[in-house]
Amino acid sequence: MQKESLTALVRHHLETARTASSGRSAHTIYGGHEHVLRQTLIALRAGSNLDEHGNPGEATLQVLHGRVTLVAGDTRWNGSPGDLMTIPDSRHALEAVEDSAVLLTVAKRT
């Protein structure tokens, strides 16, 4: 069994994102290319974003820290700690309203 502290990972990756030129930091907690399920912690500095991209499969986003906005076309959803957001099956982007950390869970299409 594998156990990781999300609290410690959030703290570490927020520190990294704050100083990174991209304004972000990520760590795959579970899964990878050989698995269907993948969980990735993503930290974003306030004002940074993940540019618009496609959805590789069914996905959810759990906000662990901060506030984010999920954008798909003209539709925007705001997320705060404790919110679980279903990612639309369309191109979308993620914006950090403040220093934020999210847990992205994806079940890749096979």
Side-chain angles (χ1 to χ4, degrees), residues 1 22 26 30-31 45 82 84:
M1 183 180 98
S22 65
Y30 177 82
R45 182 177 59 227
L84 181 67

Side-chain angles (χ1 to χ4, degrees), residues 28-90:
T28 299
I29 297 170
Y30 177 82
H33 297 292
E34 67 279 359
H35 296 277
V36 172
L37 180 67
R38 180 185 301 170
Q39 291 186 296
T40 305
L41 181 116
I42 303 169
L44 299 165
R45 182 177 59 227
S48 64
N49 60 58
L50 296 177
D51 292 332
E52 187 178 77
H53 56 279
N55 188 339
E58 292 182 59
T60 60
L61 193 71
Q62 181 180 359
V63 183
L64 302 173
H65 181 89
R67 292 184 305 128
V68 297
T69 302
L70 180 61
V71 181
D74 293 332
T75 308
R76 301 173 71 83
W77 300 272
N78 296 316
S80 299
D83 289 347
L84 181 67
M85 307 165 79
T86 302
I87 297 178
D89 189 18
S90 62

Side-chain angles (χ1 to χ4, degrees), residues 5-16 18 41 101:
S5 168
L6 289 177
T7 303
L9 285 171
V10 164
R11 187 178 324 115
H12 170 75
H13 286 280
L14 279 173
E15 289 174 13
T16 302
R18 286 180 186 120
L41 181 116

